[in-house]
């Protein structure tokens, strides 16, 4: 059974996932009051099933959680059509594969710039020095967040998403509310400046649009920007961290990519599959439904275990093997259906350019110490990843 407070489970959830897949199509999790769905076929179908959907439950008491509730209840991630469709359409244009491709050179330059800064050190923390600042820089450029303010984003984001955890840590609520409050005020002030003097960035365009409240209200503007900025790096940080770690633990696979950088696109999909950074997303049943013979009653919640689906032997050959050249890879790391990751094309370009720059510059990269996993379940990632950029001696 899933116990997010068990360090053994967090360190290696995969045996528990395998047991859950064997236990049945949906297994009741008493502690969090939801059905857990662990098999690939069922997770994939549930993500696309319109009888299931997002239902935001504001945190109580409302007065205390107001800033946190605000950024979530107006976020497309938490909404269903028609609001979801309207909000997603407003920004979807910016996140097409073609737009992501147009950004590739710039993304590569950002990756190279960060790696230049650590090139002379024999040892570096790939999380703090690379995996964190890199996607933050990419999404900030797209939204037009001034460089001097970017250091604020990751702490705000971390604090806000900590409340999504199945069992939030002590003090997480206060930190999340304070972060939502500060982030919201910051964006409202930036919106006022951008309306006055718009730039060519996405946030300026949305800020101007929100002057006509019928298309985008100010609350929706703030919630959308928070979502893009948070979603735009939380997962990418951990794709790079978890993925590079997986490669370094499979040195033959790392060497394959070094020798044949043409494998980079496949290797990055495998990084997302093998140690999926977003473990679980929830849905609520809008009517009674049947999952592989298990009836889920209307109103009940379902937890879809993406990390488990991505290791299901029914969907993947040798699922517990990291294969940098894996051909068929129908992973659900980006979700599926109407909430399919809006940023997937950009996230792919980012992960590919991160890996490409790393293998080119540091072909002999190796682990300097065993990394410690962060004590969170939904967001799976490491505290730090100390690596040697040059061979010893
Ligand atoms: C490799 C990194 C990433 C992974 C693994 C990832 C994964 C996901 C997943 C699983 C969902 C679906 C959630 C659900 O079904 O409830 C999602 C939604 C979303 N992602 Fe990503 N994401 C990544 C990067 C990004 C980036 C770079 C952006 C940039 C903007 C982004 C923006 C979004 C947004 C806006 C949604 C909500 C879409 C909607 O509700 O319609 N993501 N992401």
């Amino acid at each position: 059974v899933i116990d997010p407070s068990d360090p053994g489970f967090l360190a290696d959830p995969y045996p528990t996932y395998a047991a859950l897949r064997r236990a049945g199509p949906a297994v009741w999790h008493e502690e969090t009051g939801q059905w857990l769905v662990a098999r690939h076929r069922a997770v994939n179908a549930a993500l696309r099933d319109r009888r299931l959907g997002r239902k935001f439950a504001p945190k109580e008491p409302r007065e205390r959680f107001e800033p946190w509730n605000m950024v979530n209840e107006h976020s497309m991630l938490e909404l269903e059509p028609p609001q979801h469709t309207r909000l997603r359409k407003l920004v979807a244009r910016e996140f097409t594969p073609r737009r992501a491709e147009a950004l590739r050179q710039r993304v590569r330059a950002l990756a190279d710039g960060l790696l230049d800064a650590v090139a002379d050190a024999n040892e570096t923390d790939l999380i703090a020095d690379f995996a964190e600042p890199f996607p933050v820089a990419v999404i900030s450029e797209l939204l037009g967040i001034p460089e001097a303010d970017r250091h604020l984003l990751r702490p705000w984001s971390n604090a806000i998403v900590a409340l999504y955890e199945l069992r939030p840590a002590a003090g997480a609520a206060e930190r999340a509310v304070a972060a939502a409050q500060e982030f919201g005020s910051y964006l409202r002030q930036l919106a006022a400046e951008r309306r006055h003097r718009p730039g060519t960035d996405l946030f300026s365009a949305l800020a101007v649009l929100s002057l006509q409240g019928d298309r985008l209200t100010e609350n929706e503007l703030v919630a959308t920007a928070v979502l893009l900025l948070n979603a735009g790096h939380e997962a990418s940080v951990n794709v790079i961290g978890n993925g590079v770690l997986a490669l370094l633990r499979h040195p033959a696979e790392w060497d394959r990519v070094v020798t044949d950088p043409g494998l980079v696109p496949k290797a990055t999909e495998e990084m997302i599959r093998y140690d999926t950074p977003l473990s679980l997303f929830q849905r609520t049943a809008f009517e009674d439904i049947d999952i592989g013979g298990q009836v889920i009653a209307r109103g009940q919640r379902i937890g879809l275990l993406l990390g488990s689906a991505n290791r299901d032997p029914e969907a993947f050959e040798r699922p517990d093997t990291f294969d940098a050249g894996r051909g068929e890879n129908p992973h659900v790391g980006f979700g599926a259906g109407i909430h399919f990751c809006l940023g997937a094309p950009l996230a792919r370009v980012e992960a590919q350019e991160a890996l490409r720059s790393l293998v080119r510059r540091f072909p002999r990269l190796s682990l300097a110490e065993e990394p410690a996993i962060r004590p969170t379940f939904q967001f799976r990632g490491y505290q730090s990843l100390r690596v040697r950029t040059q061979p010893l001696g």
Side-chain angles (χ1 to χ4, degrees), residues 4-5 24 68 88 100 145 152 178 195 212 219 225 239 253 293 334 393:
S5 62
W68 190 88
R88 186 161 167 133
I145 302 298
L152 297 164
R195 283 180 193 127
Q212 320 159 23
N219 281 345
V239 166
E253 296 302 298
F334 286 122

Side-chain angles (χ1 to χ4, degrees), residues 47 54 76-77 84 88 95 139 227-228 231-232 235-236 239 272 277-278 281 283 306 332-335 338-343 346-347 350:
L47 285 165
R54 306 288 301 206
M76 75 180 88
L77 185 59
H84 172 266
R88 186 161 167 133
F95 293 98
I139 193 71
L227 173 66
L228 293 176
S236 295
V239 166
I272 298 168
L278 300 173
F281 278 92
R283 297 290 189 266
L306 307 187
V332 288
F334 286 122
I338 67 165
H339 290 284
F340 178 80
C341 178
L342 177 74
L346 178 64
E350 274 176 12

Side-chain angles (χ1 to χ4, degrees), residues 2 24-25 28 52 62 70 72 95 103 145 215 228 232 234 245 256 283 299 301 306 336 338 352 383 393:
I2 286 191
W28 181 250
L52 292 166
R62 303 275 177 112
M70 198 296 285
N72 286 287
F95 293 98
L103 289 171
I145 302 298
R215 293 190 59 199
L228 293 176
E234 280 291 345
L245 175 63
R256 261 178 99 189
R283 297 290 189 266
R301 279 186 314 145
L306 307 187
I338 67 165
Q352 290 167 7
Q383 319 255 23

